[in-house]
Amino acid sequence: MVTAILSGAKTTTSALLVGYERANEPLPEAGQQSAVVDSDDRRVAVIELTEVRVVRLADVDLQHALDEGEGDESVAQWRAGHEAFWHSAEVRAELGDPGFTVDDDTLVVAERFRLVRTG
C-alpha cells in the first residue's frame, strides 16, 4: 500500500461507515492530513484528504475502484475483493458481529487523497 501511495497509483481508499459508528469515531474530513507509515511503523509520507463521500456500496464508481491502486479493472472486481475482506473473521470480530455481511445498501466511506510530502 505504501509503495502505491508513494508512486501515485493509490489516491483513494474505502471503509465501512458502520466501522466508524461502532468505534464512535467521527468521519474524516477533506483537508485532514495523515501520516503514512511503513511496516516498521516509520513515517514515510503525509497525505491530505481532498474528498470524503458516504455512498451506497452499489454506487461506488469505476474511477474510485481504479484509483485504489490495487489492480482492479472493474467495480465488480473491486467489490469482490472488498467483500472478501469485509466478510473476514477479523473484520467481523472488529465489528462485534460474526455474521456481518454487506449488500448494495451498505454505506461506504469513499476517501480521495493527495500526497503532500514524503519523509
Side-chain angles (χ1 to χ4, degrees):
M1 180 176 86
V2 170
T3 301
I5 291 171
L6 295 177
S7 73
K10 180 173 183 65
T11 58
T12 64
T13 193
S14 308
L16 295 171
L17 178 62
V18 69
Y20 286 96
E21 292 171 344
R22 297 242 171 113
N24 200 26
E25 292 181 14
L27 289 180
E29 297 180 8
Q32 182 178 329
Q33 292 189 351
S34 301
V36 177
V37 296
D38 65 14
S39 56
D40 294 324
D41 211 28
R42 292 182 306 222
R43 188 170 109 175
V44 295
V46 174
I47 58 171
E48 179 181 7
L49 292 177
T50 59
E51 179 182 36
V52 179
R53 301 177 297 142
V54 177
V55 298
R56 293 173 55 245
L57 180 56
D59 297 330
V60 171
D61 59 89
L62 179 59
Q63 195 61 58
H64 180 85
L66 295 173
D67 291 345
E68 278 212 10
E70 296 177 12
D72 297 323
E73 296 177 355
S74 68
V75 173
Q77 191 178 19
W78 172 90
R79 183 169 170 164
H82 280 72
E83 283 188 15
F85 173 70
W86 290 329
H87 293 162
S88 70
E90 178 184 6
V91 171
R92 287 174 170 169
E94 186 178 305
L95 295 174
D97 183 352
F100 177 78
T101 58
V102 298
D103 61 26
D104 283 350
D105 292 324
T106 300
L107 295 178
V108 174
V109 180
E111 302 174 38
R112 180 168 297 281
F113 58 86
R114 69 178 185 89
L115 181 62
V116 174
R117 66 178 175 278
T118 58

